[in-house]
Amino acid sequence: MKPTVSVLRLPRGPDLNSRGFDPNSPRFIALCPTSISSSSSLSGTGIKEEQRLRSELRERFLRTLLLMTDKEMQFNMYEKVQVRAKFGASDIDVLNFQVSDLETPLGVQKEALLRCQDVISCSFEL
């Protein structure tokens, strides 16, 4: 026999006849798939412009990652720790950096992964 599953009911909406969230609420705006608020015009050109800008920023970021490959970098981390390493790659979600010859206050590590949550900033020479 299959176990029963409870049904999740959404709270009543602002018009009391529907269920859901007020499209003008801060929560709805924050969770909206685009940063264009529902109070502004949701024209196709506004969304297309935002997508174009996001695409351009993503391309710049990916080009920066490519430029960083095999460069000596300095990473500023929490607790005022500064380390130097040769940048190798990043995972697809940019959660980790793969580095080589990591110079830490405790010594040199041949290969390492740096968690991006621990990195405050990084810099390299062009």
Side-chain angles (χ1 to χ4, degrees):
M1 181 169 213
K2 293 183 181 178
T4 59
V5 178
S6 62
V7 176
L8 175 66
R9 300 270 183 203
L10 292 174
R12 294 233 177 250
D15 58 0
L16 299 177
N17 294 326
S18 68
R19 296 192 180 269
F21 297 102
D22 178 8
N24 296 323
S25 72
R27 176 183 168 83
F28 181 84
I29 292 169
L31 296 175
C32 188
T34 64
S35 61
I36 301 171
S37 67
S38 59
S39 59
S40 66
S41 66
L42 285 175
S43 66
T45 57
I47 293 174
K48 285 182 182 177
E49 178 64 15
E50 181 178 350
Q51 288 176 342
R52 186 190 65 77
L53 290 172
R54 286 176 184 255
S55 170
E56 187 177 313
L57 288 172
R58 179 70 175 166
E59 182 180 353
R60 284 183 189 181
F61 175 72
L62 293 174
R63 288 185 187 277
T64 303
L65 282 178
L66 281 173
L67 189 64
M68 289 168 32
T69 304
D70 294 330
K71 299 270 187 179
E72 260 319 297
M73 298 192 59
Q74 179 167 336
F75 295 92
N76 296 318
M77 306 179 85
Y78 286 99
E79 301 296 327
K80 299 180 182 178
V81 174
Q82 293 183 349
V83 296
R84 296 188 65 80
K86 184 189 246 185
F87 184 81
S90 169
D91 60 356
I92 194 164
D93 296 324
V94 193
L95 295 175
N96 300 299
F97 291 142
Q98 183 272 324
V99 294
S100 301
D101 302 323
L102 177 66
E103 299 171 14
T104 70
L106 297 175
V108 178
Q109 186 72 28
K110 185 68 179 159
E111 298 290 329
L113 283 178
L114 296 178
R115 295 185 326 166
C116 289
Q117 298 97 318
D118 297 334
V119 176
I120 296 172
S121 66
C122 59
S123 60
F124 65 98
E125 297 286 330
L126 290 176

